[in-house]
Amino acid sequence: MTEPLAPFLESRPEGLRAPAFDAWIDPASACPRAILTHAHADHAAAGHREVWATPETIALYRRRNPDWSGVERPL
């Protein structure tokens, strides 16, 4: 059976991945590039190297992770 999300999204055991951006969507653990749709604790895991999100979500991510030194990409 064909993956219904392909080629835009891949469903993997680690979560949902957007291959075009080499990014994980709302990942539960630290990853190199995260696209955050919101900043609930289950997605705002410390340690993402790069976060793509709205400015408001980035602000909440920084508040939850004050020592974060990654790159922010406001959307």
Side-chain angles (χ1 to χ4, degrees):
M1 180 174 190
T2 303
E3 171 64 52
L5 303 174
F8 305 106
L9 299 173
E10 297 174 348
S11 181
R12 295 188 173 185
E14 303 92 337
L16 199 57
R17 183 173 175 274
F21 303 109
D22 193 23
W24 295 91
I25 299 172
D26 292 331
S29 59
C31 70
R33 181 175 293 136
I35 298 172
L36 300 183
T37 63
H38 59 289
H40 288 173
D42 58 334
H43 305 303
H48 298 315
R49 281 189 279 177
E50 188 174 335
V51 171
W52 295 13
T54 63
E56 296 82 4
T57 298
I58 291 170
L60 288 169
Y61 183 79
R62 284 193 175 283
R63 186 166 187 140
R64 288 184 178 273
N65 303 288
D67 296 330
W68 181 63
S69 60
V71 175
E72 61 183 57
R73 302 279 186 216
L75 302 174

Coordinates of all heavy atoms in Angstrom, one line a residue:
M1 N 0.8 -1.2 0.0 CA 0.0 0.0 0.0 C 0.9 1.2 0.0 O 1.9 1.3 0.7 CB -0.9 0.0 1.2 CG -1.8 1.2 1.3 SD -2.9 0.9 2.7 CE -4.0 2.2 2.4
T2 N 0.5 2.2 -0.7 CA 1.3 3.5 -0.8 C 1.0 4.3 0.4 O -0.1 4.4 0.9 CB 0.8 4.3 -2.1 OG1 1.0 3.5 -3.2 CG2 1.6 5.5 -2.2
E3 N 2.1 5.0 0.9 CA 2.0 5.9 2.1 C 1.1 7.1 1.6 O 1.5 7.8 0.7 CB 3.4 6.3 2.5 CG 3.4 7.4 3.5 CD 2.8 7.0 4.9 OE1 3.2 6.0 5.4 OE2 1.9 7.8 5.4
P4 N 0.0 7.3 2.3 CA -0.9 8.4 1.9 C -0.3 9.8 2.1 O -0.8 10.7 1.4 CB -2.1 8.3 2.8 CG -1.6 7.5 4.0 CD -0.5 6.6 3.5
L5 N 0.7 10.0 2.9 CA 1.3 11.3 3.1 C 2.5 11.6 2.1 O 3.0 12.7 2.0 CB 1.8 11.4 4.5 CG 0.8 11.2 5.6 CD1 1.5 11.2 7.0 CD2 -0.3 12.2 5.5
A6 N 2.9 10.5 1.4 CA 4.1 10.6 0.5 C 3.7 11.5 -0.7 O 2.6 11.5 -1.1 CB 4.5 9.3 0.0
P7 N 4.7 12.3 -1.2 CA 6.1 12.3 -0.8 C 6.3 13.5 0.2 O 7.5 13.7 0.5 CB 6.8 12.7 -2.1 CG 5.8 13.6 -2.8 CD 4.4 13.0 -2.4
F8 N 5.3 14.1 0.7 CA 5.5 15.3 1.5 C 5.8 15.0 3.0 O 6.6 15.8 3.6 CB 4.3 16.2 1.4 CG 3.9 16.6 0.0 CD1 2.8 16.0 -0.6 CD2 4.7 17.4 -0.7 CE1 2.5 16.3 -1.9 CE2 4.4 17.7 -2.0 CZ 3.3 17.1 -2.6
L9 N 5.3 14.0 3.5 CA 5.5 13.6 4.9 C 5.8 12.1 5.0 O 5.3 11.3 4.2 CB 4.3 13.9 5.7 CG 3.9 15.4 5.8 CD1 2.6 15.5 6.6 CD2 5.0 16.2 6.5
E10 N 6.7 11.7 5.9 CA 7.0 10.3 6.2 C 6.6 10.0 7.6 O 7.0 10.7 8.5 CB 8.5 10.1 6.0 CG 9.0 10.3 4.6 CD 10.5 10.1 4.5 OE1 11.2 10.1 5.6 OE2 11.0 10.1 3.4
S11 N 5.8 9.0 7.8 CA 5.5 8.5 9.1 C 6.5 7.5 9.5 O 6.7 6.5 8.9 CB 4.1 7.9 9.1 OG 3.7 7.5 10.4
R12 N 7.3 7.8 10.6 CA 8.4 7.0 11.1 C 8.1 6.7 12.5 O 7.4 7.4 13.2 CB 9.7 7.6 10.9 CG 10.1 7.9 9.5 CD 11.5 8.4 9.4 NE 12.0 8.4 8.0 CZ 13.2 8.8 7.7 NH1 14.1 9.0 8.7 NH2 13.6 8.8 6.5
P13 N 8.8 5.6 13.1 CA 8.6 5.3 14.5 C 9.0 6.5 15.4 O 8.4 6.7 16.4 CB 9.6 4.2 14.7 CG 9.8 3.5 13.4 CD 9.6 4.6 12.4
E14 N 10.0 7.4 14.9 CA 10.4 8.5 15.7 C 9.4 9.7 15.6 O 9.4 10.6 16.4 CB 11.7 9.1 15.2 CG 12.8 8.1 15.3 CD 13.0 7.3 13.9 OE1 12.0 7.2 13.1 OE2 14.1 6.8 13.7
G15 N 8.5 9.6 14.6 CA 7.5 10.7 14.5 C 7.3 11.0 13.0 O 7.6 10.3 12.1
L16 N 6.8 12.2 12.7 CA 6.5 12.7 11.4 C 7.6 13.5 10.8 O 8.1 14.5 11.5 CB 5.2 13.5 11.5 CG 4.4 13.7 10.2 CD1 4.0 12.4 9.6 CD2 3.2 14.5 10.5
R17 N 8.1 13.2 9.6 CA 9.2 13.8 9.0 C 8.8 14.5 7.7 O 8.1 13.9 6.9 CB 10.4 12.8 8.8 CG 11.6 13.5 8.3 CD 12.8 12.4 8.2 NE 13.9 13.1 7.6 CZ 14.1 13.1 6.3 NH1 13.3 12.6 5.4 NH2 15.2 13.7 5.8
A18 N 9.3 15.7 7.5 CA 9.1 16.4 6.2 C 10.5 16.3 5.5 O 11.4 17.1 5.7 CB 8.7 17.8 6.5
P19 N 10.6 15.4 4.5 CA 11.9 15.2 3.9 C 12.4 16.4 3.1 O 13.5 16.6 3.0 CB 11.7 14.0 3.0 CG 10.2 13.7 3.0 CD 9.6 14.4 4.1
A20 N 11.4 17.1 2.5 CA 11.8 18.3 1.7 C 12.6 19.3 2.5 O 13.4 20.1 2.0 CB 10.6 19.0 1.1
F21 N 12.3 19.4 3.8 CA 13.0 20.3 4.7 C 14.0 19.6 5.6 O 14.6 20.3 6.4 CB 12.0 21.0 5.6 CG 10.9 21.7 4.8 CD1 9.6 21.3 4.8 CD2 11.2 22.9 4.1 CE1 8.6 21.9 4.0 CE2 10.3 23.5 3.3 CZ 9.0 23.1 3.3
D22 N 14.1 18.3 5.5 CA 14.9 17.5 6.4 C 14.6 17.9 7.9 O 15.5 18.2 8.7 CB 16.4 17.7 6.1 CG 17.3 16.7 6.8 OD1 16.8 15.6 7.2 OD2 18.5 16.9 7.1
A23 N 13.3 17.9 8.2 CA 12.8 18.3 9.5 C 11.8 17.4 10.0 O 11.1 16.6 9.3 CB 12.2 19.7 9.3
W24 N 11.7 17.4 11.4 CA 10.7 16.6 12.1 C 9.6 17.6 12.6 O 9.9 18.7 13.0 CB 11.3 15.9 13.3 CG 12.3 14.9 12.9 CD1 13.7 15.1 12.6 CD2 12.1 13.6 12.5 NE1 14.3 14.0 12.2 CE2 13.3 13.0 12.1 CE3 10.9 12.8 12.5 CZ2 13.4 11.7 11.7 CZ3 11.0 11.4 12.2 CH2 12.3 10.9 11.8
I25 N 8.4 17.1 12.5 CA 7.2 17.9 12.9 C 6.8 17.6 14.3 O 6.5 16.4 14.6 CB 6.1 17.8 11.9 CG1 6.5 18.2 10.5 CG2 4.8 18.6 12.4 CD1 5.5 18.0 9.4
D26 N 6.8 18.5 15.2 CA 6.5 18.4 16.6 C 7.2 17.1 17.2 O 6.5 16.3 17.8 CB 4.9 18.2 16.8 CG 4.2 19.6 16.5 OD1 4.8 20.6 16.7 OD2 3.1 19.5 16.0
P27 N 8.5 17.1 17.1 CA 9.2 15.9 17.6 C 9.2 15.8 19.2 O 9.2 16.9 19.8 CB 10.6 16.1 17.1 CG 10.8 17.5 17.0 CD 9.4 18.0 16.5
A28 N 9.1 14.6 19.7 CA 9.0 14.4 21.2 C 10.4 14.5 21.8 O 10.5 14.5 23.0 CB 8.3 13.1 21.5
S29 N 11.5 14.3 21.0 CA 12.8 14.4 21.5 C 13.7 15.3 20.6 O 13.3 15.6 19.5 CB 13.4 13.0 21.6 OG 13.4 12.4 20.3
A30 N 14.8 15.7 21.1 CA 15.7 16.6 20.4 C 16.1 16.1 19.0 O 16.3 14.9 18.8 CB 17.0 16.8 21.3
C31 N 16.1 17.0 18.1 CA 16.5 16.6 16.7 C 17.2 17.8 16.1 O 17.2 18.9 16.6 CB 15.2 16.3 15.9 SG 14.2 17.6 15.6
P32 N 17.9 17.6 14.9 CA 18.6 18.7 14.3 C 17.7 19.8 13.8 O 18.1 21.0 13.9 CB 19.3 18.0 13.1 CG 19.4 16.6 13.5 CD 18.1 16.3 14.3
R33 N 16.5 19.5 13.3 CA 15.6 20.6 12.8 C 14.2 20.2 13.1 O 13.7 19.1 12.7 CB 15.8 20.7 11.3 CG 14.9 21.8 10.7 CD 15.1 22.1 9.2 NE 16.5 22.6 9.1 CZ 17.3 22.2 8.1 NH1 17.0 21.2 7.3 NH2 18.5 22.7 8.0
A34 N 13.5 21.1 13.9 CA 12.2 20.8 14.3 C 11.2 21.9 13.8 O 11.5 23.1 13.9 CB 12.1 20.8 15.9
I35 N 10.1 21.5 13.3 CA 9.0 22.4 12.9 C 8.0 22.2 14.1 O 7.4 21.1 14.2 CB 8.4 22.0 11.6 CG1 9.4 22.2 10.5 CG2 7.2 22.9 11.3 CD1 8.9 21.6 9.1
L36 N 7.8 23.3 14.9 CA 6.9 23.2 16.0 C 5.6 23.9 15.6 O 5.6 25.1 15.3 CB 7.5 23.8 17.2 CG 8.8 23.2 17.7 CD1 9.3 23.9 19.0 CD2 8.7 21.7 18.0
T37 N 4.5 23.2 15.8 CA 3.2 23.8 15.5 C 2.6 24.4 16.8 O 1.7 25.3 16.7 CB 2.2 22.7 15.0 OG1 2.0 21.7 16.0 CG2 2.7 22.1 13.7
H38 N 3.2 24.1 17.9 CA 2.8 24.6 19.2 C 3.9 24.3 20.2 O 4.8 23.5 19.9 CB 1.4 24.2 19.6 CG 1.3 22.7 19.8 ND1 1.3 21.8 18.7 CD2 1.2 21.9 20.9 CE1 1.2 20.6 19.1 NE2 1.1 20.6 20.5
A39 N 3.8 24.9 21.4 CA 4.9 24.7 22.4 C 4.5 23.9 23.6 O 5.0 24.1 24.7 CB 5.5 26.0 22.8
H40 N 3.6 22.9 23.4 CA 3.3 22.0 24.5 C 4.6 21.2 24.9 O 5.4 21.0 24.1 CB 2.2 21.0 24.1 CG 0.9 21.6 24.0 ND1 -0.2 20.9 23.6 CD2 0.4 22.8 24.3 CE1 -1.3 21.6 23.6 NE2 -1.0 22.8 24.0
A41 N 4.7 20.9 26.2 CA 5.9 20.2 26.7 C 6.2 19.0 25.9 O 7.4 18.6 25.8 CB 5.7 19.9 28.1
D42 N 5.3 18.2 25.3 CA 5.6 17.0 24.6 C 6.2 17.3 23.3 O 6.8 16.4 22.6 CB 4.3 16.1 24.4 CG 3.2 16.8 23.7 OD1 3.1 18.1 23.8 OD2 2.4 16.1 23.1
H43 N 6.3 18.5 22.8 CA 6.9 18.9 21.5 C 8.1 19.8 21.7 O 8.9 20.0 20.9 CB 5.9 19.5 20.6 CG 4.7 18.7 20.3 ND1 4.8 17.4 19.8 CD2 3.4 19.0 20.5 CE1 3.6 16.9 19.7 NE2 2.7 17.8 20.1
A44 N 8.1 20.5 22.8 CA 9.1 21.6 23.1 C 10.3 20.9 23.9 O 10.8 21.5 24.8 CB 8.5 22.7 23.9
A45 N 10.7 19.8 23.5 CA 11.8 19.1 24.1 C 13.0 19.9 24.0 O 13.3 20.5 22.9 CB 12.0 17.7 23.4
A46 N 13.8 19.9 25.0 CA 15.1 20.7 25.0 C 16.0 20.0 24.0 O 16.0 18.8 23.8 CB 15.7 20.7 26.4
G47 N 16.9 20.9 23.4 CA 17.9 20.3 22.6 C 17.8 20.4 21.1 O 18.7 20.0 20.4
H48 N 16.7 20.9 20.5 CA 16.6 21.0 19.1 C 17.7 22.0 18.6 O 17.9 23.0 19.3 CB 15.2 21.6 18.7 CG 14.0 20.7 19.0 ND1 14.0 19.3 18.8 CD2 12.8 21.0 19.6 CE1 12.8 18.9 19.2 NE2 12.1 19.9 19.7
R49 N 18.4 21.6 17.6 CA 19.4 22.5 17.1 C 18.8 23.7 16.3 O 19.3 24.8 16.3 CB 20.4 21.8 16.2 CG 21.4 21.0 17.1 CD 22.5 20.4 16.2 NE 22.0 19.2 15.6 CZ 22.6 18.5 14.8 NH1 23.8 18.8 14.4 NH2 22.1 17.4 14.3
E50 N 17.7 23.5 15.6 CA 17.0 24.5 14.8 C 15.5 24.4 15.0 O 15.0 23.2 15.0 CB 17.4 24.4 13.4 CG 17.0 25.5 12.5 CD 17.5 25.3 11.1 OE1 18.6 24.7 10.9 OE2 16.9 25.9 10.2
V51 N 14.9 25.5 15.3 CA 13.4 25.4 15.5 C 12.8 26.4 14.4 O 13.1 27.6 14.4 CB 13.0 25.9 16.9 CG1 11.5 26.1 17.0 CG2 13.5 24.9 17.9
W52 N 11.8 25.8 13.7 CA 11.0 26.6 12.8 C 9.6 26.7 13.4 O 9.0 25.7 13.7 CB 10.9 25.9 11.4 CG 12.1 25.8 10.6 CD1 13.4 26.0 11.0 CD2 12.2 25.4 9.3 NE1 14.3 25.8 10.0 CE2 13.6 25.4 8.9 CE3 11.3 25.1 8.3 CZ2 14.0 25.1 7.6 CZ3 11.7 24.8 7.0 CH2 13.0 24.8 6.7
A53 N 9.1 27.9 13.6 CA 7.8 28.1 14.3 C 7.4 29.5 14.2 O 8.2 30.4 13.8 CB 7.9 27.6 15.8
T54 N 6.2 29.8 14.6 CA 5.8 31.2 14.7 C 6.6 31.9 15.8 O 7.1 31.2 16.7 CB 4.3 31.3 15.1 OG1 4.1 30.8 16.4 CG2 3.4 30.6 14.1
P55 N 6.7 33.2 15.7 CA 7.5 33.9 16.8 C 6.9 33.7 18.2 O 7.7 33.5 19.1 CB 7.3 35.4 16.4 CG 7.1 35.4 14.9 CD 6.3 34.1 14.6
E56 N 5.6 33.5 18.3 CA 5.0 33.2 19.6 C 5.4 31.9 20.1 O 5.7 31.7 21.3 CB 3.5 33.3 19.5 CG 3.0 34.7 19.1 CD 3.0 35.0 17.7 OE1 3.3 34.2 16.8 OE2 2.6 36.2 17.3
T57 N 5.4 30.9 19.2 CA 5.8 29.5 19.7 C 7.3 29.5 20.0 O 7.7 28.9 21.0 CB 5.5 28.5 18.6 OG1 4.1 28.5 18.4 CG2 6.0 27.1 18.9
I58 N 8.1 30.2 19.3 CA 9.6 30.3 19.6 C 9.8 31.0 20.9 O 10.6 30.5 21.7 CB 10.3 31.0 18.5 CG1 10.4 30.2 17.2 CG2 11.8 31.4 18.9 CD1 10.9 30.9 16.0
A59 N 9.0 32.0 21.2 CA 9.1 32.7 22.5 C 8.8 31.7 23.7 O 9.4 31.7 24.7 CB 8.2 33.9 22.6
L60 N 7.7 30.9 23.5 CA 7.3 29.9 24.5 C 8.4 28.8 24.6 O 8.7 28.4 25.7 CB 6.0 29.3 24.2 CG 4.8 30.2 24.4 CD1 3.5 29.6 23.8 CD2 4.6 30.5 25.9
Y61 N 9.0 28.4 23.5 CA 10.0 27.4 23.5 C 11.2 27.9 24.3 O 11.8 27.2 25.1 CB 10.4 27.0 22.0 CG 11.5 25.9 22.0 CD1 11.1 24.6 22.2 CD2 12.8 26.2 21.8 CE1 12.1 23.6 22.1 CE2 13.8 25.2 21.8 CZ 13.4 23.9 22.0 OH 14.3 22.9 21.9
R62 N 11.6 29.2 24.0 CA 12.7 29.8 24.8 C 12.4 29.8 26.3 O 13.2 29.7 27.1 CB 13.0 31.2 24.3 CG 13.8 31.1 23.0 CD 14.3 32.5 22.6 NE 15.2 32.5 21.5 CZ 16.4 32.0 21.4 NH1 17.0 31.5 22.5 NH2 17.1 32.0 20.3
R63 N 11.1 30.1 26.6 CA 10.8 30.2 28.0 C 10.9 28.8 28.7 O 11.3 28.7 29.8 CB 9.4 30.8 28.1 CG 9.0 31.0 29.6 CD 7.7 31.9 29.7 NE 7.5 32.2 31.1 CZ 7.2 33.3 31.5 NH1 6.9 34.3 30.7 NH2 7.0 33.5 32.8
R64 N 10.4 27.8 28.0 CA 10.5 26.4 28.5 C 12.0 25.9 28.6 O 12.3 25.1 29.4 CB 9.7 25.5 27.6 CG 8.2 25.6 27.8 CD 7.6 24.5 26.9 NE 6.1 24.6 27.1 CZ 5.4 24.0 28.0 NH1 6.0 23.3 29.0 NH2 4.1 24.1 28.1
N65 N 12.8 26.5 27.7 CA 14.2 26.0 27.6 C 15.1 27.2 27.6 O 15.7 27.6 26.6 CB 14.4 25.2 26.3 CG 13.5 24.0 26.2 OD1 13.7 23.1 26.9 ND2 12.5 24.1 25.3
P66 N 15.3 27.9 28.7 CA 16.0 29.2 28.8 C 17.5 29.0 28.4 O 18.1 30.0 28.0 CB 15.9 29.6 30.2 CG 15.5 28.4 31.0 CD 14.8 27.5 30.0
D67 N 18.1 27.9 28.5 CA 19.5 27.7 28.1 C 19.7 27.3 26.7 O 20.8 27.1 26.2 CB 20.2 26.6 29.0 CG 20.2 27.0 30.5 OD1 20.3 28.3 30.7 OD2 20.1 26.2 31.3
W68 N 18.6 27.2 25.9 CA 18.7 26.9 24.5 C 19.5 27.8 23.7 O 19.4 29.0 23.8 CB 17.3 26.8 23.9 CG 17.2 26.4 22.4 CD1 17.7 25.2 21.9 CD2 16.7 27.1 21.4 NE1 17.4 25.1 20.6 CE2 16.9 26.3 20.2 CE3 16.2 28.4 21.2 CZ2 16.5 26.8 18.9 CZ3 15.8 28.8 20.0 CH2 15.9 28.0 18.9
S69 N 20.5 27.3 22.9 CA 21.3 28.2 22.1 C 21.2 27.8 20.6 O 22.1 28.1 19.8 CB 22.8 28.0 22.6 OG 23.2 26.7 22.4
G70 N 20.1 27.2 20.2 CA 19.9 26.8 18.8 C 19.6 28.0 17.9 O 19.5 29.1 18.4
V71 N 19.2 27.6 16.7 CA 18.8 28.6 15.7 C 17.3 28.7 15.6 O 16.7 27.6 15.5 CB 19.4 28.3 14.3 CG1 19.0 29.2 13.3 CG2 21.0 28.2 14.4
E72 N 16.8 29.9 15.6 CA 15.3 30.0 15.4 C 15.0 30.5 14.0 O 15.8 31.3 13.4 CB 14.7 31.0 16.4 CG 15.3 32.4 16.4 CD 14.7 33.3 17.4 OE1 14.8 32.9 18.6 OE2 14.1 34.3 17.1
R73 N 14.0 30.0 13.4 CA 13.5 30.3 12.1 C 12.1 30.7 12.2 O 11.2 29.8 12.1 CB 13.7 29.2 11.1 CG 15.1 28.7 11.0 CD 15.9 29.6 10.0 NE 17.2 28.9 9.8 CZ 18.3 29.6 9.7 NH1 18.3 30.9 9.8 NH2 19.5 29.0 9.5
P74 N 11.8 32.0 12.4 CA 10.4 32.4 12.5 C 9.6 32.2 11.2 O 10.2 32.5 10.1 CB 10.4 33.9 12.9 CG 11.8 34.1 13.3 CD 12.7 33.1 12.7
L75 N 8.4 31.7 11.3 CA 7.6 31.5 10.1 C 6.4 32.4 10.1 O 5.9 32.8 11.1 CB 7.0 30.0 10.1 CG 8.0 28.9 10.1 CD1 7.3 27.6 10.2 CD2 8.8 29.0 8.8

